[in-house]
Amino acid sequence: MDTGKTADAARPVAVREGSAGRALVEGGPGRPVTRRWAAVRTAVLTLFPLALLGAAFWIGRLVRPGADDWCFLPVVRDEGAAGMIAKFYLHDNGRVANALLVVGYGAFGVPGQQWYALVSGVVVVGVLWALTLAALGRAGLSAPRGVPLLVAATAAVIFLLATPDTYKTFYWPASSVSHTVSPVLACAAVIPLLRARSGRGRALASAVALVAGVFIGTLSEETSVVACVVLCAVLLLGFRAVPGPGPGSVRTRIWCAAAFAGIVIGTAVLYFSPGAHARRERFGADAGSMFGAEQLVAALRAFGEILVTVLTTWQYAGALAVGVLLGLSVRGGQWGPDGPLVRRPLPPVLAGVLVFLVSGCLCTVITYPVFGTGVVTAARVWGDFLLVYVLLLTGVGALLGRELRARRRGARTATAVAAVSVLTCAGLAVPLFRLGTEMQVRAEHWDRQDRSLRDGAARGAQVLPYTPVSVGRMLEPFGGHGRRVWPAQCVAEYYHLEKVTYSTRLP
């Protein structure tokens, strides 16, 4: 395709746009003042999601250990990485890569918990930003400066914060590494393929896909399922996963095969581990019960309820809005009037919807034996397939933006979707700050009790009282008014005590 022709064809549209449209729709060289005004407006819009992310990172300093953290931290402290890997592989769940990530933040103790939100959030934004740039470059598209960052930051904010349980999704490291960071790492494995321009680069991309597949396979069963569904969609439906010049469909399929092989290897390591076997026995999650007719019906019903929650969460409209802004602003390559993305937009959109529905349903099926009907409210395990939803909405918005631009409606649309983007950030800020207040109270109580327990252990005490202090529906020792003991023994080990007893009053 002649990229120059498509770019030239787009220029008259931009010239006929009003000043508001030119501020976000840059279809040609335009005047210097217009381009500067476009950069200013893009920067202002980007400030909203970045400021919200900054606030979320700052609130992360209030995170304190809870639930599984009580059991992880003593092992990392006393036995190091080898002990943590052995715990996961031999006893807990078989997730070796998960154990490595737990060691990554657990080695720093409580500060590791507090820094986790900042580090993981920067990783999410960085990967989505790099993925946006790589996808645009591979398709031969160009976008005004700052727009890719706007897209990445908005998508990250929505993915991390637009859930019913932000604490467990974003702030609780034990959950985040398995269900929030893991799908983002899977996306990161695509970037080398999109950047590859030579045979050596494509070989390196396939090697990265193989290694990443093994890592994901031993990190998260749900992300592995989602990745396999995506790969199967590419391989079976025959779509070119990488548009534009460069590797053709055969080379793309080689990359998909490498990624698929890696996931199969990693999943086999996990599935046949003693830890995974023990976990299946604890929850009765064998293949017969998981895929029995009654269990499948219950899981499908649960996924239907999850869909209702997701589809009625209006903040996801922000992903669609920022996608429209992207579609209004990019030019060249396959975005021209004769490009395949414009001529045949329906097949990839339908494929994306199908991937989201199938992967979400399968994730619910494999988690149902553990959570039961509680999977409907366990939003922390939805992230594996919700990233697909966010990316799908962004892509659909980009196609819609291109169509609106072709119909010369870019100026009015740009203002409307920019307002939706800002409202999305405002809508996410309210529950975030409310959660921050709750975390502040919990941090003060936790620190007060932590000092008391450490002082008591230093005096030689072996049995001390413990008062549950929870946030975000986190499990704590003696939850349910003392009825649930777990993980009281882990707390005792954390403070070098023999036992902790239930107390209703903070020290």
Side-chain angles (χ1 to χ4, degrees):
M1 180 184 297
D2 188 344
T3 305
K5 289 182 180 180
T6 57
D8 291 337
R11 287 192 185 103
V13 177
V15 171
R16 285 189 289 267
E17 297 286 358
S19 60
R22 285 198 301 270
L24 285 169
V25 183
E26 192 175 10
R31 293 178 297 178
V33 173
T34 300
R35 290 199 299 273
R36 285 197 296 271
W37 186 234
V40 169
R41 289 206 173 187
T42 301
V44 170
L45 282 178
T46 307
L47 281 177
F48 285 94
L50 289 181
L52 189 56
L53 284 171
F57 297 160
W58 177 248
I59 291 173
R61 79 194 191 282
L62 303 173
V63 174
R64 298 295 186 273
D68 300 71
D69 301 327
W70 287 119
C71 298
F72 294 165
L73 292 177
V75 174
V76 176
R77 178 194 63 200
D78 300 336
E79 304 177 36
M84 196 70 230
I85 292 173
K87 173 179 170 61
F88 271 56
Y89 184 76
L90 298 176
H91 306 290
D92 287 1
N93 48 38
R95 298 172 184 167
V96 177
N98 198 321
L100 291 173
L101 293 181
V102 170
V103 172
Y105 67 81
F108 300 96
V110 176
Q113 306 265 325
Q114 296 168 338
W115 282 89
Y116 178 82
L118 171 62
V119 174
S120 64
V122 169
V123 168
V124 172
V125 176
V127 169
L128 294 180
W129 190 8
L131 183 65
T132 303
L133 290 170
L136 291 174
R138 171 55 67 186
L141 304 173
S142 61
R145 183 177 300 176
V147 171
L149 177 58
L150 170 63
V151 173
T154 304
V157 161
I158 294 170
F159 175 58
L160 295 174
L161 304 181
T163 69
D165 194 349
T166 298
Y167 188 88
K168 290 184 179 180
T169 300
F170 180 45
Y171 289 112
W172 185 29
S175 170
S176 177
V177 296
S178 299
H179 305 290
T180 304
V181 172
S182 54
V184 176
L185 295 180
C187 288
V190 182
I191 296 173
L193 176 65
L194 297 173
R195 291 291 188 184
R197 295 295 186 273
S198 64
R200 181 177 297 179
R202 290 187 286 272
L204 176 62
S206 296
V208 169
L210 179 65
V211 174
V214 174
F215 189 85
I216 294 297
T218 56
L219 173 62
S220 170
E221 298 94 324
E222 292 79 15
T223 296
S224 297
V225 165
V226 174
C228 285
V229 172
V230 173
L231 294 171
C232 287
V234 175
L235 291 171
L236 297 179
L237 300 180
F239 290 119
R240 288 188 63 184
V242 184
S249 58
V250 174
R251 291 163 182 167
T252 301
R253 290 190 180 104
I254 291 174
W255 182 91
C256 291
F260 192 85
I263 293 172
V264 170
I265 294 171
T267 302
V269 171
L270 186 154
Y271 185 83
F272 293 107
S273 68
H277 179 72
R279 187 171 188 259
R280 289 193 296 272
E281 284 191 337
R282 284 197 304 273
F283 295 104
D286 55 64
S289 64
M290 187 180 300
F291 296 103
E294 184 177 344
Q295 189 90 336
L296 282 175
V297 170
L300 289 173
R301 186 181 300 114
F303 180 60
E305 294 183 43
I306 293 172
L307 270 183
V308 171
T309 300
V310 172
L311 296 178
T312 55
T313 302
W314 68 267
Q315 288 89 344
Y316 284 106
L320 187 68
V322 80
V324 172
L325 289 176
L326 179 64
L328 291 172
S329 63
V330 297
R331 64 182 185 276
Q334 301 202 1
W335 219 245
D338 297 322
L341 289 177
V342 176
R343 286 187 284 107
R344 298 186 300 274
L346 193 57
V349 170
L350 291 178
V353 172
L354 186 63
V355 165
F356 166 63
L357 294 176
V358 172
S359 61
C361 182
L362 290 177
C363 285
T364 306
V365 168
I366 66 175
T367 55
Y368 192 86
V370 176
F371 292 92
T373 56
V375 73
V376 174
T377 57
R380 66 184 179 87
V381 300
W382 304 352
D384 304 274
F385 58 88
L386 282 185
L387 183 59
V388 174
Y389 182 57
V390 173
L391 296 179
L392 173 63
L393 288 177
T394 305
V396 171
L399 292 172
L400 181 60
R402 170 57 181 82
E403 181 64 24
L404 290 170
R405 178 177 171 178
R407 295 173 181 269
R408 304 177 188 176
R409 297 177 182 174
R412 286 177 240 173
T413 303
T415 302
V417 294
V420 172
S421 179
V422 172
L423 286 175
T424 297
C425 292
L428 294 173
V430 174
L432 175 65
F433 293 139
R434 187 183 304 121
L435 175 62
T437 301
E438 297 172 4
M439 290 170 62
Q440 176 72 51
V441 172
R442 197 249 177 173
E444 292 172 356
H445 291 170
W446 193 97
D447 291 343
R448 177 178 166 184
Q449 184 159 240
D450 178 65
R451 288 190 296 269
S452 175
L453 290 170
R454 291 187 183 278
D455 291 343
R459 292 193 303 268
Q462 292 300 310
V463 179
L464 291 173
Y466 182 88
T467 303
V469 285
S470 185
V471 66
R473 294 183 294 179
M474 287 284 292
L475 293 179
E476 273 283 285
F478 309 114
H481 303 288
R483 291 190 299 270
R484 294 192 299 268
V485 177
W486 185 87
Q489 189 54 40
C490 294
V491 174
E493 293 174 5
Y494 180 77
Y495 290 107
H496 301 286
L497 301 170
E498 288 184 2
K499 184 181 180 181
V500 292
T501 57
Y502 176 51
S503 172
T504 58
R505 297 181 62 183
L506 285 168

